[in-house]
Every structure is written in C-alpha cells, then in structure tokens.
Amino acid sequence: MEKQDLFEKSPVRLFDAATDGGLKAGELGLVTSKKGLGKTSVLVQFGMDSLLKDKQLVHVTFDLHSSNVIFWYDAIFTEISKKKNVGNSAELKDDVVAKRTILNFSLDNFSLSKVVNTLNALKAGGIQVSGVVMDGIDFSKVSEGDINSVAQYAAAEKVTIWASSTAEGSKLSDSVPADLEKYFAAVVHLNQKSDVVSLDVLKIHDKKNVETGLKLDTKTLLITKA
C-alpha cells in the first residue's frame, strides 16, 4: 500500500496527466538538455515509477561509479516520500530499490547492441525487466540500426525505455536526428528560461510541442507545475 501511495504522489503523475498518459509499455522516450540542467534527475523519476510498481528496473550508465546513480535514487525517493508520511522510510526505500539493476558500460567499447544483449541475458536468467533508463546516449556514435534494435526489444518485451542525450538547441531537430525521431514516442527537452528550467514536451506520440506547464523544482529537481 505504501508503494502505491508513493506511486500516486510521484511527480511523473503530473507528466502523465499533461501528456494523456505519458509513455506506454513498449515505447521509447528521450530526455535532452544542455549539460547540468537535470536530465539524470528526470530519468531517475521515470525509472522510480517502475520500482514503485514493484517492477524490475535496469539503469544503464556510463559513469563507472555506481555510487553516483545510487545517490540519485536515494535523493529522489527521499523527496517523493516527504509528500507522504511513510512509516520506516529507510526500510521502504531498501524494498523499493531491491529490484533495481545498475549496468555500467565504458564509452570506449559501448554499443547499444551490447545493452540489448545484456537485457536479453537478464531475461534468460529469470529477471523480467519492466523499465529501462539509459543515461547519456551520443547520437554521433549510434546508427539507426542500433536504435531500431532497442525499439524492437522494447516492443517485443513490452518494456518502457527512457534515454537521455545532450542537446544545445530547443527544437525537436536539435534533440534527435530526423532519421531517428520515428523511434521515439516522446521527446522532452529541459530548457533554461530565466531562473526556471521548463520541461518542454517536443513530441508525445502524434503531437508536437505540447504545452504542459511543467518545470523542475529548483531545489529538489522534481517535476512540478510552473
């Protein structure tokens, strides 16, 4: 019951409400921004949704220090739990993150096919993955075939996948190459506007440039209303 309560209090519910249900099982989503605006925080919020539903989550990182990833989940869980008076929050957190698997890949020998192969190996080992987040895709180093392999995996396994990438511009064409856009059901760009980081939905299914009125909280980096 406590997990369900936290799920209902998750900032992702605001995103879902503003985008007619958000990303569905079997779809790919992308979060972009300039460096340092909060992409990892948003990815973790989406990833936490799988964990709060008691589902298996895989977090793919190219930061070889897993402690940095763990820190983000601890911080996001703490901020969400503040919205709900839970009993033993430390015990609940341990229970929530028990189904999180962190995969570390070096950028020197990284390929998306290796990620898909590892995910398939997890399935063969009895781990039924429900959600995947991939923090830091470099589109200059991946082909359409790479992205297609991830999309095929997501569709076949009914897995929700959120990825992030650095983008300097605020247009859809700045966030994802034109030949790869079709593979992403959602593209979200974090945009620094004065003293506010807005959460701009550049694409959600067949809609473009959807007004959501969402931003990141300046202190917690949680998705909130503007």
Side-chain angles (χ1 to χ4, degrees):
M1 181 59 70
E2 288 181 328
K3 286 183 185 179
Q4 181 62 32
D5 289 343
L6 290 180
F7 177 80
E8 292 173 358
K9 292 292 184 180
S10 167
V12 179
R13 302 288 75 73
L14 295 175
F15 178 82
D16 289 349
T19 56
D20 296 324
L23 202 63
K24 306 294 192 301
E27 295 181 336
L28 273 62
L30 180 68
V31 180
T32 69
S33 78
K34 295 180 179 179
K35 291 183 178 180
L37 287 187
K39 292 189 297 294
T40 298
S41 172
V42 173
L43 275 188
V44 170
Q45 289 173 67
F46 285 130
M48 186 69 76
D49 249 32
S50 293
L51 297 173
L52 291 175
K53 289 187 290 188
D54 211 26
K55 303 292 186 179
Q56 186 73 41
L57 172 77
V58 173
H59 186 114
V60 178
T61 179
F62 311 110
D63 182 344
L64 296 182
H65 300 286
S66 296
S67 59
N68 293 334
V69 176
I70 294 170
F71 166 81
W72 274 109
Y73 280 91
D74 287 351
I76 295 301
F77 177 86
T78 297
E79 294 301 332
I80 295 175
S81 64
K82 285 180 180 178
K83 299 182 178 183
K84 190 73 180 177
N85 186 19
V86 298
N88 189 332
S89 59
E91 182 178 323
L92 179 58
K93 182 193 71 177
D94 290 343
D95 183 45
V96 167
V97 300
K99 291 192 174 183
R100 177 194 62 202
T101 300
I102 300 173
L103 298 180
N104 298 102
F105 287 88
S106 169
L107 286 174
D108 295 334
N109 58 7
F110 164 75
S111 71
L112 286 177
S113 61
K114 288 184 178 180
V115 175
V116 173
N117 289 340
T118 303
L119 293 171
N120 284 325
L122 290 175
K123 179 184 177 181
I127 298 177
Q128 190 61 48
V129 176
S130 177
V132 176
V133 295
M134 295 189 289
D135 197 355
I137 289 181
D138 184 346
F139 283 113
S140 69
K141 297 181 180 179
V142 299
S143 66
E144 181 173 356
D146 293 326
I147 299 296
N148 184 43
S149 67
V150 176
Q152 288 183 340
Y153 164 80
E157 302 299 329
K158 301 300 181 184
V159 172
T160 300
I161 298 180
W162 279 99
S164 73
S165 181
T166 298
E168 294 297 320
S170 58
K171 296 182 296 183
L172 181 59
S173 58
D174 297 323
S175 289
V176 59
D179 57 334
L180 301 182
E181 180 199 323
K182 61 186 178 183
Y183 294 102
F184 293 92
V187 180
V188 175
H189 183 70
L190 305 182
N191 195 7
Q192 182 77 60
K193 297 178 180 177
S194 184
D195 59 345
V196 173
V197 175
S198 66
L199 195 148
D200 296 345
V201 177
L202 306 182
K203 175 184 179 180
I204 183 71
H205 299 119
D206 60 345
K207 297 179 181 179
K208 303 285 182 69
N209 298 313
V210 177
E211 290 292 335
T212 65
L214 300 178
K215 66 173 185 176
L216 295 188
D217 184 280
T218 55
K219 293 182 178 179
T220 66
L221 294 183
L222 294 184
I223 299 169
T224 188
K225 292 182 179 179

